[in-house]
Amino acid sequence: MIKKNNTNYGKETKRIIKVGTNVGGFVAKLATKNLLGINDKEKNAEELTQLLGNLKGPIMKVAQILSTIPDALPKEYANKLSMLQAEAPSMGWLFVKRRMRAELGDSWQDKFKKFSKNAIKAASLAQVHQALDKKNNSLACKLQYPDMLSSINADLKQLKLILKIYKQIESTINTEDIYQELKDRLIEEADYLNEFKNILIYKNIFKKNKNIIVPSPNKNLSTDKLLTMEWLEGKALNKFYSSNKVIRNRIAENLFNAWYYPFYKFGIIHGDPHPGNYTISNDGKILNLLDFGCVRVFNPTFVGGVIRLYKALSNDNKEEAAKAYQSWGFKNLNTDLVNALNVWALYLYGPLLEDKIRKIQDHEGAAYAKELLGKVRNDLKKFGGVKPPREFVLVDRAAIGLGSVFMHLKSELNWHEKFEELIKNFNEKKVLSLQKKILT
Ligand SMILES: Nc1ncnc2c1ncn2[C@@H]1O[C@H](COP(=O)(O)OP(=O)(O)O)[C@@H](O)[C@H]1O
Ligand SMILES: [Mg+2]
């Protein structure tokens, strides 16, 4: 029996490897087509998407992150990839038992009162089982699929190749630092002891906030590939899209705090505002924050730079904006490039600049953002291109991801007021000392 199950899983693993190889073939074909000058972008995008489409692996996540950075990927790919959902093949019970034995030892079942045979949720590198501990506490056990690290490394190789080819063809953005950031975060994400630490950091950050709940992790039942924590019960975000305004705004406010309080007070951000990564109580008052696999710690100078840019934009001061980008880590900027970057920055910062209750974006839908992106892309290209600093990746991702959630919620808040409140006493040294404290 074990053998049968094993073979089943083996098929999936093989499929992943096969997809990886195909991407290489595709890239080669793309390069040839470009050399021959026959480059049908739509069709290429279709092909690449098909190759990547059913992939459970980490590259899906990367593609989704990249699709929030203007021109990091060809826009045809970015559009398509951002719509995909990774479908994970699940590990059957026999396989799960084997994996659990490997993580917690032969008598692992004695450590639980109950353990669900089927996965309750699929995760990107794992599947989640619900369980009860000996004291009847409800638990979530995130059990990693085998060989994820080598799968990640294989995917990263392919990604690097795609980015390289794309850059040679037409990119206006140098993605070297972006790639480095994605690589580091992805490799970190496979280490559940790291995620365990991140949970403790977030528990600490929100210990006095009754509206944002972080699950308590369970040390005895966790390893680098099994993360066990308190099960948090809640409803999915989309269940609230048609709730009344008070509830929708409450949720938005909690989300805003969950993402930006850690960033502006401690220089730490949760990198993935995907709606699968939180649930909400029926009355909308409580946000259960989940998934701490992608947490980023920033140098407080960078946080200072983000605030500096906000101030520069609100005073329409281009010199200050240029200095702000420099403190973010952008290099070799000229006035034209700063202007181009400001178009994108004004889009992201827009809601923070106006002291009034408003939607996150007045322009409904993705069309406006697309148009803006097009303009930014053209200008960047015209004026020599940029190399975004790696810190940009998750900050941009958080802003875009949350923005899209706020649009779906049709939340109307005075974002400016909330933001001003957060940065009121900002001081880099204070952030540094709070950060040191919370990280030890
Ligand atoms: N503590 C928890 N309580 C309840 N459900 C959870 C908990 N942790 C994770 N889940 C469920 O499992 C899913 C996958 O877990 P997550 O940590 O987001 O994995 P991944 O890092 O792969 O995205 C989540 O979307 C959520 O539905
Ligand atoms: Mg998740």
Side-chain angles (χ1 to χ4, degrees), residues 2 12 14 23 35 83 96 124 160 162 200 224 233-234 236 250 277 282 298 324 363 366 380 418 427 429:
I2 288 179
E12 292 303 340
K14 256 185 236 138
V23 174
L35 288 176
M83 289 187 289
V96 167
S124 52
K160 194 169 184 180
I162 293 172
L200 292 179
D224 60 339
E233 199 57 57
R250 210 180 256 157
N277 293 339
N282 282 330
F298 297 91
H363 307 270
L380 290 179
K418 307 245 161 286
N427 168 314
K429 281 203 186 105

Side-chain angles (χ1 to χ4, degrees), residues 61 121-126 128 139-140 142 189 192 195 215 227 229-233 272 274-279 289-293:
K61 214 167 212 169
K121 299 274 176 188
S124 52
L125 310 178
V128 175
L139 302 173
K142 183 154 105 169
E189 203 159 336
Y192 288 170
E195 183 165 351
L227 180 60
M229 70 200 114
E230 170 189 10
W231 179 273
L232 293 179
E233 199 57 57
D272 191 0
H274 182 279
N277 293 339
Y278 39 86
T279 59
L289 196 53
L290 306 170
D291 195 351
F292 299 85

Side-chain angles (χ1 to χ4, degrees), residues 102 193 228 370 411 429:
L193 290 177
T228 299
K370 241 190 198 163
S411 334
K429 281 203 186 105

Side-chain angles (χ1 to χ4, degrees), residues 93 96 100 108 112-122 127-133 136-143 221 226-234:
W93 177 231
V96 167
M100 287 300 286
W108 73 271
F112 297 91
K113 185 159 178 194
K114 230 172 150 179
F115 191 94
S116 75
K117 287 193 173 173
N118 295 318
I120 304 277
K121 299 274 176 188
Q127 61 188 36
V128 175
H129 289 257
Q130 198 170 14
L132 283 179
D133 71 8
N136 262 340
N137 297 309
S138 194
L139 302 173
C141 302
K142 183 154 105 169
L143 177 64
L221 301 174
L226 169 71
L227 180 60
T228 299
M229 70 200 114
E230 170 189 10
W231 179 273
L232 293 179
E233 199 57 57

